[in-house]
Amino acid sequence: MQKTTPITDGIYFGEGPRWHDGRLWFSDFYSHAVKSVSEDGDMRTELTLDDQPSGLGWLPDGRLLLVAMKERAVKRLDPQGLVTHADISHLTTHLCNDMVVGPDGTAWVGNFGFDLDATIRARATDVLADPPRANLVRVAPDGAASVAAPDIRFPNGTVITADGGTLILAETLGGCLTAFTINADNSLGGRREWAPVPGTCPDGICLNEHNQVWFANALAPEVVLVAEGGEVIERVETTQNCYACMLGGEDGKTLFAVTAQSSDHENAGGTMTGKIETVRVDAAGAGWP
């Protein structure tokens, strides 16, 4: 089994990694910041905000979109500063999380559906086994928001295939990756289980050129590569639990893993245990993000 090598630390809890303009961009929840890092570990802060940022993406004209978790909104970075692109609070429950932005600027955003940390502390295993369902939200390029798909068990990491025809998302508390056909009007149809991944909690995901998905297993120090149907192709060991991943680098074959000692907000928000780790893989990234 391959193992990752940390390239930088000094992060509270990273999420939403995206390869963009020669650097890995990511959100650091408890720094209230969007940061970026080069392949050799040079880190910088790109912007700060009065919220916890999560999912990241870019409109076709290059403007950054980011998810404001607590406000439950998608923000847009205009020349004059950060503005609200879409208020999605009426379509979501508790914190918002990951997002993928497609080639036309349509964004797809997940949310927790309930208070995860409180449920874990209460040891409410029945709730975790059958969690409240949540919506996947679609945000049009003009900011109009609507429900894209209901009844999802913690919609989280999301990718779009290179042909633009399929959306795959991680149901973190469903132990599976779920796929939809993206119709011409950007509605979703043909819902199906793309890959069962029992015994794991798939968090952030990314797609390679063979239409295989790397997923961060939030329950373990690993990133797992699966094919449609659920065959495990490869496992990569990380130094601590992994919560997100992204393919990037000059040739698209550097796998970035975002890790931390814990996802609990009291623990993760109090100590900078977060790291960005890397390993070289055989197949380059594809699709979106």
Side-chain angles (χ1 to χ4, degrees):
M1 180 187 294
Q2 288 203 87
K3 297 183 179 182
T4 57
T5 300
I7 60 169
T8 192
D9 53 14
I11 300 164
Y12 282 105
F13 189 86
E15 264 287 10
R18 303 288 183 258
W19 185 256
H20 180 72
D21 282 349
R23 297 176 68 86
L24 185 80
W25 290 54
F26 63 94
S27 293
D28 188 358
F29 283 8
Y30 306 112
S31 289
H32 293 180
V34 175
K35 300 177 179 179
S36 72
V37 64
S38 65
E39 283 192 86
D40 61 5
D42 169 55
M43 189 165 63
R44 69 187 184 211
T45 296
E46 300 290 349
L47 65 97
T48 58
L49 65 156
D50 294 328
D51 204 323
Q52 291 175 195
S54 186
L56 304 175
W58 285 264
L59 292 168
D61 63 9
R63 287 178 295 171
L64 174 70
L65 296 182
L66 65 88
V67 172
M69 296 181 70
K70 293 182 176 180
E71 187 179 341
R72 288 155 46 207
V74 177
K75 299 290 188 176
R76 187 182 69 242
L77 185 59
D78 283 351
Q80 67 269 28
L82 208 58
V83 300
T84 297
H85 183 67
D87 178 355
I88 58 175
S89 60
H90 59 299
L91 304 173
T92 57
T93 307
H94 204 57
L95 301 175
C96 289
N97 52 9
D98 217 337
M99 171 178 70
V100 65
V101 179
D104 69 345
T106 298
W108 313 82
V109 189
N111 66 101
F112 285 29
F114 67 107
D115 188 335
L116 177 63
D117 284 339
T119 301
I120 292 173
R121 288 196 199 95
R123 301 183 186 275
T125 55
D126 56 331
V127 176
L128 295 175
D130 187 20
R133 304 309 198 254
N135 296 324
L136 178 69
V137 175
R138 178 181 52 247
V139 177
D142 65 359
S146 58
V147 174
D151 195 33
I152 299 173
R153 294 162 294 183
F154 206 104
N156 208 336
T158 310
V159 298
I160 297 170
T161 55
D163 63 5
T166 303
L167 182 145
I168 304 168
L169 68 82
E171 290 198 57
T172 296
L173 294 179
C176 68
L177 304 179
T178 298
F180 299 86
T181 299
I182 302 175
N183 299 316
D185 63 355
N186 274 330
S187 63
L188 298 181
R191 180 174 180 166
R192 58 214 181 262
E193 184 177 76
W194 190 85
V197 288
T200 73
C201 281
D203 195 331
I205 67 175
C206 61
L207 186 74
N208 74 14
E209 59 191 334
H210 302 314
N211 267 352
Q212 299 163 340
V213 170
W214 285 101
F215 73 87
N217 179 11
L219 291 180
E222 65 175 4
V223 192
V224 183
L225 180 65
V226 293
E228 186 173 4
E231 178 188 0
V232 174
I233 307 299
E234 186 176 356
R235 293 180 186 269
V236 169
E237 182 181 344
T238 55
T239 68
Q240 51 189 354
N241 279 18
C242 188
Y243 298 98
C245 57
M246 184 66 204
L247 287 162
E250 187 175 347
D251 62 359
K253 295 183 180 180
T254 298
L255 179 65
F256 294 87
V258 183
T259 71
Q261 286 185 6
S262 171
S263 62
D264 178 84
H265 74 91
E266 290 185 0
N267 295 326
T271 309
M272 285 186 163
T273 68
K275 300 177 185 178
I276 305 294
E277 311 182 17
T278 65
V279 67
R280 295 288 292 167
V281 295
D282 294 333
W288 291 267

